[in-house]
Each structure stands twice: as structure tokens, then as C-alpha cells.
Amino acid sequence: MNKFLFWLLPIVLLVTGCAEKGNTFIPLEMEGKNIKSLRVGISPDYPPLAFKENGALQGAEVEMAKTLAYYLNVKIVFVQLPWNKLIPGLLNNRVDVVMSGLSITPERERNVNFIQPYMKVGQMALIRKNEKKQFTDKQDLLNTNLRLGFLPDTTSASFAASNFHRAQRIPMKSVEQAVEDLRNSKIDLFIHDAPTIWMIAGNSTEEQLTGLYWPLTREFLGWAVRPTDINLQSSLNNALDKWKANGVLDRILNSWMKLRIEIES
């Protein structure tokens, strides 16, 4: 499986773009032009939205950021930060926008402004295939007393603490660790955002793990900006409006998530 590495120190990458067959990113000829930079805060530990493979940033959020270079006529500078440093980095002016699979929550909205959502998701469970029969419905899952893995400082952590009262809750350092621990029977289920569960369970070569596709929550993902950056917020909203109208958004999401299950309102 891909390696999803969690970087503790910020790393900055400049994206000027190049033509790739099938890529929705349209490159700009930037040489000799006065084009502004847009610093994008990202934590590459959320596959398939933001992760690293062979040392390179990958994922739907990465492709969307690169596509913004064309729509906004900017250079994209990726600033890699730990997950819990993304919003502080935005507020401290280390980055201009956070694009890293961020759920829109009331708590976060007290500190930052979100543009319109680009995808509806929810928390879901990843389990071993041979144990699926013990979970007949969502209530069975919530009543489990098994070992539950989750990532700290995420909406899955909040949901696990509030709803899995009998489970043995075990914090994980990364998606990669959770998947390996699940394979090796060190935990019994892993709760995370739907896109990650879709990607792992939907892999045609996956023989050991599967997803329980009951949405445990209903959440919206969006990009965050500082409350004072009204012009940037407007520009990002306008770009996303165009993507929704011309099909660019669906093409990007579908290219990174072969399995997508509709989350009902």
C-alpha cells in the first residue's frame, strides 16, 4: 500500500505545473510574469485527499490546489505542516489557505472562514472482512467493546469519545499505522473519514479489510482562510462554482476515489 508519512517539520514546495495526459490541471507560462504566490497549508496524512508517495505530494486536494494556479493565475506554494498546526499556521500567516481534507465544524468556524463545501463525507469504520458478520447494523457498531483506533485532534476522535462508550479507544499516529494494526489484530476497527475508508476498502487488490458503509456522521469538507481575507475567499468560491458547473470538481474527485458512496442529507 502507499506510504502515508506524517511530517513534523514544515516543508515548502513550489508548483509551477507541467502538462500531464489526463490531468485536469492546465499549466501556465509563468516565466517573466508578475504572478502572486498562494501558500497552501497541507498535512499529507489523509489519503486519498492529501498524502505522499515516493516523496511527492499526491491526492485530490493537491490536484485541486494545482488547478487553482490556472484559475487564479497564481503560483502554488505547498507548506507541509502537522495536522494540528494547520489552523494555527493559517492564523499566524504562515499559509494563506488550508487545503487538507478539513471538516467544517462550528468550533473551527469560530477562528477561520470556510469557502463553500466541495464534498459531503462522514465517519465510517474499517474492519477485517472475516469479522463483518458481528456488525449487523449501526447500533451494533456503536455498542462494541472492541479495540477502536482513531486519529487524535480529528472529528473521528470527537465522535469516538462521544459515541463509542464501551469500546477500548486507542489513538493512532497515522492512517498507515491504523491499517497495519488492523491487519495485525492490534485493533479491531478503525474510524476515519469516508474517503480514506473508500480508498482502502475499494482497492480491488484488498483481501483482508472492508468498510462498513453506514455514515456515522454527516460532514462537509472545505478550504479555510483567515477571516480578514475576504477577497481570497471570494476568489476561491468563484473558482469552485466554475468547477462544479464545468465538471472539473467531479473529474478530480472521481480520479482519486474510484469508490464513492452518496452520503444522504
Side-chain angles (χ1 to χ4, degrees), residues 2 8 23 38 72 80 103 109 125 152 166 216 229 249 260:
N2 294 326
L8 296 180
N23 198 330
L38 182 68
L72 301 185
Q80 297 180 46
S103 294
E109 286 183 310
R166 300 179 61 204
L216 302 175
D229 285 342
L249 178 62
R260 288 174 65 192

Side-chain angles (χ1 to χ4, degrees), residues 187-238:
I187 60 173
D188 301 301
L189 62 155
F190 174 52
I191 301 296
H192 199 52
D193 286 355
T196 298
I197 308 303
W198 294 337
M199 185 197 74
I200 297 169
N203 188 331
S204 60
T205 64
E206 178 57 59
E207 298 180 352
Q208 189 177 358
L209 306 180
T210 190
L212 297 176
Y213 298 123
W214 310 309
L216 302 175
T217 63
R218 287 169 175 81
E219 304 171 27
F220 293 91
L221 301 184
W223 307 329
V225 299
R226 286 181 291 275
T228 54
D229 285 342
I230 303 301
N231 290 339
L232 176 58
Q233 183 178 0
S234 177
S235 295
L236 294 173
N237 272 317
N238 289 339

Side-chain angles (χ1 to χ4, degrees), residues 125-129 132 135 182 188-189 208-210 212:
L126 188 70
I127 62 170
R128 289 181 287 275
K129 285 184 178 180
K132 186 174 182 178
F135 301 108
L182 189 56
D188 301 301
L189 62 155
Q208 189 177 358
L209 306 180
T210 190
L212 297 176

Side-chain angles (χ1 to χ4, degrees), residues 24 60-61 63-64 67 71 116-120 221 223 239-257 260:
T24 54
E61 289 276 31
E63 187 172 348
M64 286 190 283
T67 306
Y71 278 84
Q116 61 178 297
Y118 67 81
M119 184 166 61
K120 185 189 299 182
L221 301 184
W223 307 329
L240 194 52
D241 279 335
K242 292 178 181 177
W243 295 2
K244 290 180 177 180
N246 63 19
V248 167
L249 178 62
D250 278 339
R251 287 198 296 273
I252 292 175
L253 295 178
N254 289 338
S255 70
W256 290 99
M257 285 168 274
R260 288 174 65 192

Side-chain angles (χ1 to χ4, degrees), residues 152-173:
D153 301 315
T154 64
T155 50
S156 60
S158 300
F159 182 82
S162 299
N163 295 274
F164 284 89
H165 302 296
R166 300 179 61 204
Q168 304 170 55
R169 298 189 297 273
I170 304 173
M172 301 280 105
K173 293 182 179 179

Side-chain angles (χ1 to χ4, degrees), residues 40 42 46 48-50 58-68 78 98-102 118 221-223 252-253 256:
V40 175
I42 191 167
Y46 185 173
L49 298 182
Q58 302 284 346
E61 289 276 31
V62 176
E63 187 172 348
M64 286 190 283
K66 291 178 179 179
T67 306
L68 283 174
F78 286 111
V98 174
M99 300 177 65
S100 199
L102 204 59
Y118 67 81
L221 301 184
W223 307 329
I252 292 175
L253 295 178
W256 290 99

